[in-house]
Amino acid sequence: LKAILADLANVDNSRERASKLLQWLISPVPSRTFFSETWEKKPILIQRKNPDYYKGLFSTAEFDRILREEDVQYGVNLDVTSYTNGRRETHNPPGRALPYNVWGFYKSGCSLRLLNPQAFSSTVWNILSILQENFGSMAGANIYLTPPGTQGFAPHYDDIEAFVVQLEGKKHWRVYNPRVEDEVLPVFSSPNFNEADIGKPILEVVLEAGDLLYFPRGFIHQGDCLPDAHSLHITISSYQKNSWGDLLQRMLPAALEIAVEEDTEFRRGLPLDYLTYMGVQNSDKDDPRRQQFFSQIETLMKKLTTYCPVDAAVDQKARDFLHDCLPPMLTPVELASSVKGARTRWEGGQVTDESLDINTQTRVRLLRAGCARLCSDGEAVHLYYTTANSRVYHQEELQSFEVKAEFTDAVEFLIHSYPKFVTVGSFPCDSTEDFVSECVQVIVKELSLLKIQLFSS
C-alpha cells in the first residue's frame, strides 16, 4: 500500500487519483463495470487469495498503539459490543478507553469498534480524503476487531454503501435481501433484526485477509468470527443521505415558499367542506369529491416543479459535503508548492522569507478538484473550502469567505480551470490588482487552497 500511495502522489489530477485508488480497492473488477452493474444494486464478493493485498492500511498493532498513545474515548471513538443469544449489548464505560480495560473486554469475548480511525491513522485519513472525490460524498470508516468464535452485532442494515475490507484473520458473513417474498419486512424501520425475520441469506461467505465484500445500503447483513481466528476489518462507507429524496427535502420547502409567494393557485383556500370527505376516517368513502381533491393536489405538485430552486438546493448539499469532508492530506509536491510548505522561518536570529509576491505572471490552481466551491445564499457569494476541516467529523464549523460580486467570474474561472495552471493575469476581472490583493492573497495565504507553480518578477 505504501508503494501504491507513493505512485498516486505523483498523479497530478485529484479526480484521476481518486479513480485509480478506487480501482485498486475493488480490483480486478473494472470501475466502470462496478458502477454500471453493482453500485446500489447488489452485493459483490472479491476473493484474492492474497493476504497482503491490503497490508499497511491498518493492523491490530496499530489499534494497540492508538489505545496507548491517543485519547480514545468510549462512545466517541470506541464502542465495546457483544451479540449473544439474540441479544445485542453495548458495554461502554465512561471516560478514556485505556488499553488494560479495552483488552480485558476483548479477552472476555467483546468486539471493539473504532469509530473514526481517520482521526488517529494518517494512512486511513489519506485513503478516505482521496476517495471522497470519487464519490462526491463523504467517505468514512469504522474498524472492527472481533475475538474468535464471537459476534459483535445483530443482523442489521445501514444507510451507506459499504466496502468491507478484510485486513487480518477471517470472518463469516451473511447478506440478506432487503425484501422477503416480495413484501417489505414488517420491521424494516428497525436497524436490528431477529434471524427468524430475515429468511435465508443471498450470500454467505468467509472473508479472509485481502478479500473485499461490497453491499448497498438497505441490505441486511451480519458477521461472526469462526472459532479458529480473530477478525480485523475496516468498513469504508459513502453515500449516506445522498439520495434524490435527501435533495428534495432541501428543495421542496423552498419551492413551496416561492410558489405561495408568486402563484395565486397555491394561496387559494381549501374547499369549505373538505374535512367531511378527506382524512383517514373518510378514506373508504366512494365520493367523487375525493378524486377532485387528489386531482388538485396533483396539479399543484406538477406546478411546484417550476418553482424548484434546483441549483440552490444542490449548493446546500454541496456545503454539507464540504463540511463533512476530511481535509486533504497533502502530497509532497502539494505541500512544497502551497503556503503550508512556505520556506518562511526563524533562522540565524531573524525571520527569513524566500517567497515572492503574487503578480500577474504567477501560475496557480486549486490544490484539489473538490477542496473549494462557490455558492450563493441569495444575498452574498461565498467560497467554501475544506482545507481548514478537522480529521474529526464536524469538529470545526464549515469555513468560507465572501467573494465580491466583481470577482465571482474570476473565482469560477479558477475552479473550472482545474487541473490546469492559469496565470493570475488571465483571470476575467476588471481590476487584476484588486483581485490579487483582495481575493487571491486570501485564497493563497489564509486558506491554503492554491498550488503555486511559478513565481516571476
Side-chain angles (χ1 to χ4, degrees), residues 129-189:
S129 69
I130 294 172
L131 284 176
Q132 65 193 9
E133 289 206 18
N134 200 93
F135 298 123
S137 177
M138 183 189 76
N142 286 338
I143 300 282
Y144 298 84
L145 179 61
T146 310
T150 68
Q151 182 169 340
F153 295 87
H156 66 283
Y157 68 89
D158 299 301
D159 62 341
I160 55 169
E161 304 299 306
F163 297 84
V164 178
V165 177
Q166 191 70 26
L167 301 173
E168 294 176 7
K170 53 188 176 182
K171 199 165 198 177
H172 171 227
W173 283 90
R174 284 164 285 178
V175 181
Y176 307 82
N177 252 327
R179 295 171 179 269
V180 174
E181 297 176 352
D182 295 325
E183 294 292 335
V184 177
L185 288 165
V187 289
F188 195 65
S189 59

Side-chain angles (χ1 to χ4, degrees), residues 322-334:
L322 265 65
H323 194 194
D324 294 343
C325 274
L326 284 165
M329 181 176 174
L330 302 186
T331 68
V333 172
E334 289 170 338

Side-chain angles (χ1 to χ4, degrees), residues 73-75 78-80 90-98 101-102 105:
Q73 295 286 319
Y74 288 111
L78 182 74
D79 281 334
V80 179
T90 300
H91 306 278
N92 294 342
R96 181 174 174 180
L98 296 170
N101 291 328
V102 173
F105 279 122

Side-chain angles (χ1 to χ4, degrees), residues 58-116:
F58 199 85
S59 67
T60 305
E62 177 77 351
F63 206 132
D64 183 66
R65 181 201 67 78
I66 290 169
L67 290 174
R68 293 182 182 281
E69 298 178 5
E70 305 285 355
D71 182 15
V72 178
Q73 295 286 319
Y74 288 111
V76 178
N77 311 115
L78 182 74
D79 281 334
V80 179
T81 67
S82 64
Y83 178 68
T84 54
N85 300 321
R87 184 179 179 185
R88 155 82 159 82
E89 292 185 271
T90 300
H91 306 278
N92 294 342
R96 181 174 174 180
L98 296 170
Y100 177 83
N101 291 328
V102 173
W103 291 124
F105 279 122
Y106 178 83
K107 287 176 66 177
S108 69
C110 292
S111 289
L112 308 176
R113 175 171 64 178
L114 188 61
L115 296 170
N116 42 9

Side-chain angles (χ1 to χ4, degrees), residues 3 66 72 74 99 122 142 179 190 202-203 208 220 232 238 243 264 305 316 326 345 348 355 363 405 416 436 444:
I66 290 169
V72 178
Y74 288 111
S122 59
N142 286 338
R179 295 171 179 269
S190 169
I202 59 170
L203 177 63
E208 299 187 0
I220 303 166
L232 179 75
S238 191
S243 68
T264 57
T305 61
Q316 287 185 37
L326 284 165
R345 66 193 67 217
S355 63
R363 291 163 58 81
H416 296 318
V436 169
V444 172

